[in-house]
Amino acid sequence: MKKYLLYPLYIFLFVFLLDKLFYIPMIRELFVKNNYNFYDMIFKFEDSFYDEYLEKWKKKGLSEKEIFKNTMVFIGTSRSETFREYTEKDIINNPFVQDHNKILNKPVIAHFMRAGTMFHIYQLFEHVTEKYPKEVVFAIEVNYGSLNENSYIRQRKDAENLKWSSFKEIYPVLSTGQILSFVTSRLFILNMYSVSLTKPFQKKKEQTPEELIKGLFVLVKHYVAKKDNVSGFTMEGNLEGQENSVNMENYRLFINDFMNTLYYKFKVSSTDNLLFKKMIQSAKEKNLKIVFYRPKIHKDLRKETDLKFKDAEENYLQDITTILNQNGYSFYDLEKEGEIKCAYFRDPSHLSKTCIPEIIEKFDKVYSHEK
Amino acid sequence: MFFYASWDFLNFENPIPLFFTHFLVVICTNYLCILGIEKSKKQEFKKFFMVLSTLFNLSNLAFFKYFYFLFEIVSSITGNPEWHTNARANFQIILPIAISFYSFQIIAFVVDKYRGEIPEHTTFVEFSLFIFFFPQQLAGPILKANEFFPRLHSPKEVTKEDVEIGLYYILLGVLKKGVFADSLAYAITPIFANPSQYNAMSLFLAIVGFLFQLWGDFAGYCDIAIGCGKLLGFDLPNNFNRPFYSVRFSEMWLRWHITLSRFLRDYIYFPMGGSKYGEFRTTFNSASTMVIAGIWHGANWNYILWGVVIAISLILERQVLDRFQWWKQKSEGWDRFLKNCVILLFWLVLSIIFRANQLSDIPIFLERIFSFSVGQKVKYDELVFIPIVMMVMQYYEYTPTMLIWIQKRFWVVAISTSVVLLFLLSELGNKQVQFIYFQF
């Protein structure tokens, strides 16, 4: 055989071996920009909030035991983000809350993945539930839209960065494509890290969790930029039906974007469905207290999603309500008329902070008899 | 075959790989027509089988590609918008990958067979190999029978030069697609999603970015295909030849997607009469060919408009610009540079039309750019430096001097390019954007 016919193989072997050098921690430390994989980054980011949260309530004179006895932990997508952002100002004089004092003293924390799918929420759930003691009540977002297999955000191939321990746990529910994706990503370690040839010459600087997570989702950064900068989106929110014309124009653009990215070619991921069931099973085994809920969205966005998957979503909600009831868990559909009175929105997909205290008060009653 | 079947078959959800089966049916039906042409003594029968095969391929393409679009047109003409909505709700039609490319390749083969350009008998295996030839199957270059069968019948020994040049093409393709085009795609997607939010400079850079993304994406795929072909002993035709250095509107299409232009010329423009029947017919023929090229790209008003604008440019050049000696004559230096700038501006106009999410976004782009609107600023440096690097690269990539230079220092180039590529791909974060031309 002519030697030059093996050239492609030589080049492949060279690249393969070069990549394997990054299994050596020292080399990784030297060249890799973010020496964490995708989920590590997210978890590190979330853990920093856990520490901040404990610190904040300890400053109020509560012991760790007292804090956790009363804590409610929200887990979900960006729709759970607002549970991290609301302040005392949003509770005082809030017309939708009955017992203002109780909600003022209620420790609440949220862990979320912006534009997350059920796949991501499951990973977050497994990580977060390990951290908290069993006394806390978890509130988990159930969002039909986050099951989309063709969502823009899924281009990150969510299975690729799974840790080996998580992969072992969930591989039976993964699709063949996801398993292949995971296996091939393991063939090349650099698939999971970002290297920089200039890093060894740069000044060492400890990155903040925010810096670590920066750039993970271009799309989300785009949304965040819009949310913060565009007039019409205010932190206080806009009462549904009373948006001004600037708002409405922005809402329309937001909805267009939303439908073309996160809900693009909507198809329910069977893996996500199975992971949801696995989450319930895991919660039962760990004996966790959980409230499941469907977040409320603006009626204009609802109109669009209804056009896309109204019947399928209703069937899905019926199914999960049955499964949750069978397992002794409550499900709150905040979209239902009368479930919550507040209808202020920061944008078509997210409730305003004004509505958060009412939701907390509602969920707080679910396990109150056990306290 | 396994390559094509894998994306359907490997899911294990469908016991029968549907799209692969569909593809096999298409090949078998066409092969029967080919046999019909080969066996028929009379010219009329040969013609019958050729027309039958062409109609079959066009209907197949039209059904998968234009089903919803035809419903949209019919519903708006008849004033029944619900027809279109119902069609979308009741029929879920997925476009089989590579359908546009393999349809054209089959049509070309059948017509060549009818014209007597492939006199020898073609076996089913040979025909299937021609259509299933994996490197170029998904997005071209569109092959003609005389570029494939001679090699198949008398395989040549793969030389050291083939291997070296083949690997160079593959690395070049990965660089264009994985590093440049994908980085640009991520930078410009938010801008195209919401053009009214961005300032004039960001919008301009997004258009420039898309133009280079499109070239990097498509030319990158073709380079990888040509490189793989070389490693297997096949010489696939180049699909690009410095398109952004064109100095005439008609020259653009001799340099961009060359094999499609060749197909359109040989199987649409010439059969329509080409330039044989006077000035008016020539202009009409070339304009209609470009409109058809637009429609081929997809069931979308943007692509049709794209084709129409190209058609207008060709008419304008033939009827007006060519009357000026300055435009018509071969030029060098500043003259050439100026003409090149005019054509580059035209490329940018075409890129807005091609990429805009909806037709209504096109005036937003133009209005905001020309009124120097303020708004969000683009944060990506890539949009400035990548197009510059790509422009330089486009000039030198296939020059004989470059190829000889690379062969002389093959291992130095191969190792350094591999290291740089590996680091760049990792640095830019494995964006993995799908090839744009896979949708066609």
Side-chain angles (χ1 to χ4, degrees):
Chain A
M1 192 187 199
K2 302 241 165 46
K3 222 166 77 182
Y4 59 79
L5 292 178
L6 293 174
Y7 282 7
L9 184 69
Y10 293 158
I11 293 182
F12 177 79
L13 276 178
F14 172 73
V15 173
F16 188 76
L17 292 174
L18 185 69
D19 172 81
K20 297 304 155 293
L21 285 179
F22 287 86
Y23 275 107
I24 303 169
M26 210 178 71
I27 293 189
R28 211 161 60 218
E29 187 60 38
L30 200 62
F31 288 104
V32 168
K33 272 201 291 195
N34 299 324
N35 199 1
Y36 305 94
N37 89 356
F38 173 71
Y39 291 105
D40 277 343
M41 272 195 265
I42 296 281
F43 297 154
K44 194 177 159 73
F45 187 57
E46 291 305 308
D47 289 350
S48 72
F49 282 101
Y50 174 87
D51 297 336
E52 265 179 38
Y53 162 80
L54 264 184
E55 193 66 26
K56 176 185 149 190
W57 285 93
K58 274 181 183 169
K59 269 185 193 163
K60 291 189 178 179
L62 296 174
S63 69
E64 217 164 278
K65 204 177 166 191
E66 283 167 323
I67 298 169
F68 287 127
K69 202 178 149 194
N70 208 14
T71 289
M72 186 173 283
V73 184
F74 283 81
I75 300 176
T77 66
S78 59
R79 288 177 190 164
S80 299
E81 187 175 355
T82 335
F83 290 91
R84 193 183 277 174
E85 290 173 346
Y86 79 99
T87 58
E88 289 184 359
K89 209 177 78 185
D90 301 299
I91 304 173
I92 299 163
N93 298 328
N94 188 314
F96 305 105
V97 178
Q98 288 162 356
D99 191 341
H100 291 85
N101 262 344
K102 196 173 179 188
I103 302 304
L104 273 171
N105 295 311
K106 174 90 187 157
V108 171
I109 183 165
H111 296 286
F112 60 87
M113 253 192 231
R114 287 175 188 160
T117 62
M118 184 49 86
F119 194 101
H120 299 129
I121 294 174
Y122 176 82
Q123 300 300 321
L124 200 55
F125 168 83
E126 284 294 324
H127 177 77
V128 165
T129 50
E130 285 301 314
K131 278 194 89 74
Y132 289 89
K134 288 200 171 42
E135 295 90 324
V136 305
V137 174
F138 293 96
I140 295 177
E141 185 188 319
V142 179
N143 184 352
Y144 185 71
S146 69
L147 302 177
N148 184 15
E149 197 169 272
N150 297 320
S151 151
Y152 184 100
I153 222 71
R154 279 223 139 100
Q155 287 183 10
R156 285 203 59 82
K157 295 191 176 177
D158 32 28
E160 235 173 42
N161 290 296
L162 275 180
K163 291 166 139 190
W164 176 243
S165 52
S166 308
F167 178 75
K168 271 196 305 187
E169 191 67 28
I170 63 166
Y171 81 88
V173 302
L174 296 179
S175 68
T176 323
Q178 283 170 317
I179 293 175
L180 277 178
S181 180
F182 175 82
V183 172
T184 47
S185 74
R186 286 313 181 271
L187 284 178
F188 284 94
I189 185 175
L190 283 184
N191 203 35
M192 296 183 288
Y193 298 104
S194 184
V195 294
S196 165
L197 286 175
T198 54
K199 194 192 163 198
F201 312 106
Q202 289 167 359
K203 271 187 187 170
K204 269 199 171 176
K205 188 188 151 207
E206 188 61 33
Q207 283 181 303
T208 63
E210 283 85 351
E211 281 167 336
L212 282 176
I213 207 163
K214 197 177 152 193
L216 269 184
F217 299 118
V218 172
L219 181 82
V220 176
K221 274 165 66 181
H222 167 58
Y223 277 146
V224 172
K226 274 175 61 180
K227 220 160 61 177
D228 294 346
N229 298 339
V230 175
S231 59
F233 292 121
T234 62
M235 297 304 274
E236 286 72 35
N238 302 283
L239 183 60
E240 191 168 49
Q242 290 188 12
E243 299 86 356
N244 57 40
S245 57
V246 178
N247 272 337
M248 286 319 290
E249 178 56 16
N250 288 328
Y251 273 36
R252 190 188 60 76
L253 291 171
F254 187 101
I255 291 168
N256 266 352
D257 251 21
F258 209 85
M259 300 308 288
N260 292 331
T261 50
L262 296 183
Y263 292 169
Y264 177 70
K265 288 184 181 169
F266 197 89
K267 186 186 171 204
V268 172
S269 151
S270 54
T271 304
D272 282 15
N273 249 337
L274 292 166
L275 280 177
F276 179 70
K277 287 176 188 158
K278 204 166 163 52
M279 191 197 288
I280 299 168
Q281 193 190 333
S282 166
K284 284 286 281 183
E285 281 163 13
K286 291 176 185 166
N287 202 16
L288 301 176
K289 293 186 229 173
I290 307 185
V291 178
F292 289 88
Y293 75 102
R294 178 192 184 204
K296 190 178 174 77
I297 57 174
H298 193 275
K299 65 175 181 342
D300 290 342
L301 179 58
R302 171 65 54 210
K303 219 185 285 168
E304 290 294 322
T305 60
D306 277 354
L307 276 176
K308 208 155 198 159
F309 46 60
K310 187 178 187 208
D311 293 342
E313 186 172 27
E314 274 173 9
N315 291 339
Y316 170 77
L317 290 172
Q318 258 177 12
D319 288 350
I320 61 157
T321 312
T322 316
I323 299 168
L324 289 174
N325 288 342
Q326 281 166 356
N327 286 282
Y329 288 119
S330 317
F331 176 66
Y332 290 90
D333 183 353
L334 301 186
E335 277 285 315
K336 261 192 193 165
E337 187 95 27
E339 275 290 0
I340 52 169
K341 289 180 202 133
C342 182
Y344 283 90
F345 289 85
R346 84 168 11 176
D347 65 56
S349 178
H350 303 91
L351 274 172
S352 148
K353 290 191 294 179
T354 315
C355 298
I356 299 307
E358 186 188 1
I359 299 172
I360 294 171
E361 188 169 50
K362 186 175 186 72
F363 293 170
D364 188 41
K365 288 172 187 160
V366 181
Y367 287 97
S368 56
H369 61 279
E370 290 182 19
K371 285 172 191 162
Chain B
M1 287 185 180
F2 180 76
F3 172 68
Y4 190 86
S6 62
W7 63 287
D8 198 6
F9 188 60
L10 280 177
N11 278 326
F12 298 110
E13 284 157 11
N14 307 321
I16 301 166
L18 286 177
F19 293 104
F20 178 61
T21 314
H22 164 259
F23 199 175
L24 276 185
V25 171
V26 170
I27 287 181
C28 292
T29 313
N30 277 293
Y31 187 67
L32 288 176
C33 292
I34 290 166
L35 279 186
I37 296 172
E38 278 185 1
K39 303 280 177 208
S40 304
K41 296 271 184 291
K42 287 189 172 174
Q43 195 60 17
E44 299 87 73
F45 288 134
K46 283 181 191 283
K47 191 172 187 176
F48 168 76
F49 284 114
M50 185 271 287
V51 171
L52 184 70
S53 159
T54 309
L55 284 178
F56 171 74
N57 288 307
L58 291 178
S59 327
N60 179 42
L61 189 63
F63 174 75
F64 283 101
K65 211 163 171 173
Y66 307 108
F67 182 84
Y68 296 128
F69 190 57
L70 290 176
F71 258 94
E72 189 188 332
I73 294 172
V74 173
S75 353
S76 57
I77 290 172
T78 55
N80 291 301
E82 71 279 3
W83 287 4
H84 182 229
T85 325
N86 290 344
R88 281 207 171 271
N90 298 326
F91 303 100
Q92 273 227 318
I93 294 172
I94 300 169
L95 187 70
I97 197 160
I99 189 168
S100 307
F101 287 91
Y102 75 64
S103 298
F104 273 18
Q105 196 157 309
I106 293 175
I107 291 174
F109 183 89
V110 173
V111 174
D112 285 351
K113 194 80 175 168
Y114 165 74
R115 288 174 178 168
E117 288 172 19
I118 315 165
E120 66 277 19
H121 169 64
T122 309
T123 65
F124 180 70
V125 175
E126 284 171 347
F127 179 64
S128 308
L129 268 176
F130 175 58
I131 304 302
F132 271 114
F133 188 54
F134 81 92
Q136 51 77 240
Q137 186 189 37
L138 301 186
I142 301 168
L143 281 186
K144 286 192 72 164
N146 60 14
E147 285 158 342
F148 185 79
F149 284 95
R151 276 282 177 271
L152 195 66
H153 292 144
S154 47
K156 68 159 191 175
E157 195 179 340
V158 177
T159 61
K160 189 163 174 269
E161 189 189 340
D162 285 335
V163 174
E164 288 173 351
I165 301 293
L167 286 171
Y168 165 68
Y169 267 89
I170 293 173
L171 290 175
L172 191 67
V174 175
L175 181 73
K176 278 185 201 167
K177 162 68 185 161
V179 177
F180 294 144
D182 288 359
S183 303
L184 288 171
Y186 257 64
I188 63 174
T189 300
I191 306 173
F192 276 97
N194 245 320
S196 54
Q197 302 291 327
Y198 288 87
N199 69 1
M201 183 50 92
S202 305
L203 293 174
F204 177 74
L205 287 178
I207 299 166
V208 175
F210 176 68
L211 180 61
F212 282 88
Q213 184 213 338
L214 186 65
W215 173 69
D217 191 283
F218 192 19
Y221 176 87
C222 292
D223 285 345
I224 296 170
I226 294 168
C228 291
K230 280 213 177 288
L231 295 182
L232 296 168
F234 287 87
D235 288 318
L236 306 187
N238 263 344
N239 222 3
F240 294 88
N241 177 21
R242 298 181 189 167
F244 301 154
Y245 289 90
S246 309
V247 287
R248 288 175 60 79
F249 292 106
S250 50
E251 190 190 353
M252 292 164 73
W253 313 110
L254 300 173
R255 291 174 174 275
W256 178 276
H257 205 168
I258 296 167
T259 55
L260 176 69
S261 304
R262 185 180 66 179
F263 176 91
L264 295 170
R265 183 197 63 200
D266 292 352
Y267 303 99
I268 296 175
Y269 178 69
F270 285 166
M272 283 169 88
S275 56
K276 277 192 233 160
Y277 302 104
E279 193 58 31
F280 176 76
R281 266 297 285 278
T282 308
T283 311
F284 173 80
N285 290 346
S286 59
S288 341
T289 306
M290 289 325 286
V291 175
I292 292 171
I295 296 170
W296 172 82
H297 276 86
N300 188 324
W301 289 110
N302 289 44
Y303 297 132
I304 293 175
L305 179 65
W306 181 80
V308 170
V309 171
I310 295 170
I312 292 171
S313 75
L314 294 178
I315 295 172
L316 191 78
E317 181 167 72
R318 204 176 171 88
Q319 300 301 331
V320 182
L321 291 172
D322 276 354
R323 290 170 201 261
F324 297 98
Q325 202 54 30
W326 177 76
W327 185 263
K328 205 176 176 183
Q329 74 190 6
K330 209 176 163 200
S331 46
E332 291 302 326
W334 281 105
D335 261 9
R336 188 178 171 83
F337 176 74
L338 272 177
K339 284 185 199 172
N340 193 195
C341 288
V342 173
I343 298 294
L344 263 177
L345 277 176
F346 184 63
W347 274 118
L348 293 179
V349 172
L350 292 180
S351 30
I352 311 175
I353 301 172
F354 202 85
R355 178 61 176 81
N357 286 353
Q358 55 231 352
L359 277 183
S360 55
D361 282 354
I362 300 169
I364 298 177
F365 263 97
L366 296 174
E367 189 202 319
R368 290 185 70 82
I369 288 175
F370 288 109
S371 61
F372 302 103
S373 297
V374 289
Q376 282 186 52
K377 283 181 191 161
V378 70
K379 289 170 190 157
Y380 303 96
D381 306 334
E382 292 104 306
L383 283 179
V384 178
F385 76 81
I386 291 182
I388 296 172
V389 173
M390 289 176 96
M391 193 74 189
V392 176
M393 197 168 121
Q394 192 178 92
Y395 191 83
Y396 290 105
E397 57 182 355
Y398 308 133
T399 53
T401 355
M402 176 62 109
L403 297 179
I404 292 167
W405 188 87
I406 280 160
Q407 276 179 276
K408 276 188 183 160
R409 311 159 176 79
F410 177 72
W411 280 110
V412 177
V413 174
I415 289 179
S416 50
T417 317
S418 307
V419 173
V420 171
L421 261 181
L422 188 72
F423 278 84
L424 278 178
L425 283 172
S426 171
E427 165 113 40
L428 296 169
N430 299 310
K431 281 155 185 160
Q432 300 173 3
V433 178
Q434 199 193 44
F435 283 100
I436 295 174
Y437 266 71
F438 277 13
Q439 64 183 298
F440 304 133

